[in-house]
């Protein structure tokens, strides 16, 4: 192991720079030094790199909050992993003592920070993470699949918020990585009808092979007409996986149905008639990352092989080509991009 590593750092104003950085070392008793074996590019990374940004991040931080690696060294208080273990990272670090942490709503932590957004993450050859963020994973789980532990956990949280039941009709607005995970989990829950809206040609073609009932191009088709043609009164559950489609979601939800606002875009604004929510008695739910119980559940799903997560991966690139991965995701040509340092 040399003294430096290649890393992709956020330098502000939409700039992601490939830099030579010093390889980090174990300094604290709870540190875990990792050799990163795979990292996944997230929609939040795209939002960080938009100008103006749709998600905050620390200038100078190495991005990449969806990642996995091999343990190389641990601090003297770490007991649950040892060098040689393969691990996945739960990047959201909660304080444990604020009102929300003590109330069990750890995803609402008032002092939360995130590896790969505010602290150095996985778009690098090596990373140091606190022990509480590191979960041992079976070595039979390929690194590209293990890197999807975090997006799987956040999607499981969203599914739990709306409680998809067998027979429910589900409309998913946006067929990016998260929207596609919602498709797979809705199928697992026994959804009766799954209707997907996605403007990107490549993504529509991709998810059409996942056994959904309809894939709509909202630029050319009327989504409401399609939904009403496949369901008696509208969808039981509508998921906005984009973060800017609340108005559209209300148009295709049945009276008394549920709307899950999931996608992240801090700059998105919409105008709607509040009376429509009251009159139709919609249940409108937000979904923000996940509580501490869901990362172990995501780990179980990864190790069981229950979900065909390999179907999400469209591109595998070396870290040197991460800018190509960003471009492919922005254009909608890619679904899930896996980066290998």
């Amino acid at each position: 192991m040399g003294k430096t590593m290649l890393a992709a750092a956020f330098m502000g104003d939409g700039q992601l720079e490939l830099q030579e950085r010093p390889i980090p070392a174990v300094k604290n008793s709870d540190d875990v030094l990792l050799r990163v074996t795979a990292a996944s590019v997230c929609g939040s990374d795209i939002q960080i790199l938009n100008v103006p940004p749709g998600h905050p991040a620390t200038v100078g931080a190495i991005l990449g909050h969806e990642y996995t690696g091999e343990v190389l060294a641990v601090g003297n208080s770490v007991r649950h992993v040892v060098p040689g273990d393969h691990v996945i990272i739960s990047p959201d670090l909660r304080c444990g003592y604020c009102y929300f942490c003590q109330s069990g709503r750890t995803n609402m932590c008032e002092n939360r920070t995130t590896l790969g957004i505010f602290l150095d993450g996985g778009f690098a050859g090596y990373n140091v993470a606190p022990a509480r963020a590191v979960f041992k994973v079976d070595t039979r789980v390929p690194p590209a699949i293990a890197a999807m532990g975090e997006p799987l956990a956040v999607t499981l949280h969203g599914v739990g918020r709306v409680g998809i039941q067998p027979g429910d009709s589900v409309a998913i607005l946006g067929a990016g990585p998260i929207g596609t995970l919602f498709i797979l989990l809705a199928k697992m829950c026994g959804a009766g009808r799954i209707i997907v809206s996605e403007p990107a040609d490549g993504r529509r073609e991709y998810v059409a092979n996942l056994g959904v009932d309809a894939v709509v191009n909202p630029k050319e088709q009327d989504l409401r007409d399609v939904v009403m043609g496949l369901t008696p009164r509208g969808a039981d559950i509508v998921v906005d996986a984009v973060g800017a489609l609340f108005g559209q979601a209300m148009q295709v939800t049945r009276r008394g149905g549920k709307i899950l606002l999931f996608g992240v875009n801090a700059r998105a604004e919409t105008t709607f008639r509040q009376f429509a929510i009251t009159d139709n008695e919609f249940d409108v739910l937000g979904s923000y990352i996940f509580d501490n119980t869901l990362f172990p559940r995501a780990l179980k799903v990864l190790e069981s092989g229950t979900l065909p997560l390999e179907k999400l991966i469209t591109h595998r690139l070396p870290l040197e080509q991460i800018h190509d991965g960003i471009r492919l995701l922005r254009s909608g040509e890619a679904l899930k991009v896996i980066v290998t340092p």
Side-chain angles (χ1 to χ4, degrees):
M1 186 167 68
K3 294 182 178 180
T4 65
M5 64 180 182
L6 187 66
F10 173 59
M11 300 309 293
D13 197 28
Q15 298 300 307
L16 183 69
E17 289 188 5
L18 287 171
Q19 304 174 347
E20 286 293 324
R21 290 282 188 98
I23 293 175
V26 170
K27 296 179 179 178
N28 302 310
S29 63
D30 66 339
D31 280 350
V32 178
L33 174 63
L34 307 171
R35 178 178 66 86
V36 178
T37 52
S40 171
V41 184
C42 175
S44 297
D45 297 319
I46 306 300
Q47 292 289 354
I48 290 168
L49 296 171
N50 284 341
V51 180
H55 194 291
T58 300
V59 173
I62 297 170
L63 296 188
H65 60 278
E66 302 177 2
Y67 63 108
T68 185
E70 178 188 357
V71 176
L72 296 183
V74 300
N76 57 25
S77 69
V78 179
R79 300 287 182 269
H80 69 299
V81 293
V82 298
D85 283 345
H86 290 211
V87 297
I88 55 176
I89 311 304
S90 178
D92 292 291
L93 308 178
R94 295 86 186 265
C95 71
Y97 55 78
C98 72
Y99 170 82
F100 294 103
C101 282
Q102 293 189 340
S103 301
R105 299 291 299 275
T106 54
N107 58 324
M108 297 286 101
C109 175
E110 296 173 316
N111 305 298
R112 184 182 67 90
T113 190
T114 309
L115 297 164
I117 295 179
F118 303 110
L119 304 173
D120 286 345
F123 290 162
Y126 302 87
N127 173 255
V128 167
R132 67 184 186 278
V134 172
F135 290 73
K136 185 176 178 180
V137 65
D138 194 307
T139 56
R140 290 173 293 185
V141 179
I145 302 299
M148 288 190 272
E150 192 271 351
L152 178 58
V154 299
T155 313
L156 284 167
H157 180 66
V159 168
R161 293 281 285 161
V162 290
I164 299 173
Q165 298 296 315
D168 279 345
S169 55
V170 181
I172 299 169
L173 312 184
I178 290 296
T180 307
L181 276 172
F182 268 108
I183 292 170
L184 297 179
L185 288 172
K187 289 177 67 67
M188 179 184 286
C189 293
R193 296 278 190 186
I194 301 176
I195 303 153
V196 181
S197 175
E198 170 56 52
D201 294 341
R203 287 179 174 177
R204 282 199 314 278
E205 294 172 8
Y206 202 77
V207 300
N209 297 318
L210 297 180
V212 300
D213 296 278
V215 184
V216 179
N217 181 349
K219 294 181 178 179
E220 298 178 356
Q221 298 169 273
D222 189 307
L223 177 61
R224 178 176 170 79
D225 286 348
V226 175
V227 171
M228 294 304 175
L230 290 172
T231 63
R233 291 163 289 275
D236 297 310
I237 295 169
V238 180
V239 178
D240 174 6
V242 176
L245 301 177
F246 184 26
Q248 190 177 112
M250 288 195 291
Q251 294 174 13
V252 298
T253 307
R254 70 159 170 82
R255 302 193 73 183
K258 297 178 181 179
I259 298 171
L260 183 69
L261 304 179
F262 189 94
V264 174
N265 184 345
R267 300 189 65 83
E269 295 182 358
T270 187
T271 300
F272 60 91
R273 292 172 59 244
Q274 182 173 320
F275 176 70
I277 299 173
T278 305
D279 186 46
N280 291 288
E281 203 170 75
F282 292 142
D283 288 340
V284 180
L285 301 164
S287 183
Y288 186 65
I289 55 176
F290 53 90
D291 66 38
N292 284 352
T293 66
L294 283 172
F295 211 84
R297 184 179 296 277
L299 179 59
K300 286 183 179 181
V301 174
L302 290 175
E303 293 181 331
S304 71
T306 306
L307 291 180
L309 295 174
E310 67 281 350
K311 291 185 177 181
L312 275 70
I313 302 170
T314 55
H315 295 78
R316 300 170 189 254
L317 300 171
L319 182 58
E320 290 85 348
Q321 296 178 22
I322 191 169
H323 291 100
D324 292 334
I326 298 292
R327 176 183 56 79
L328 289 164
L329 283 166
R330 276 197 170 124
S331 68
E333 297 173 69
L335 187 60
K336 201 61 176 168
V337 174
I338 299 295
V339 172
T340 52

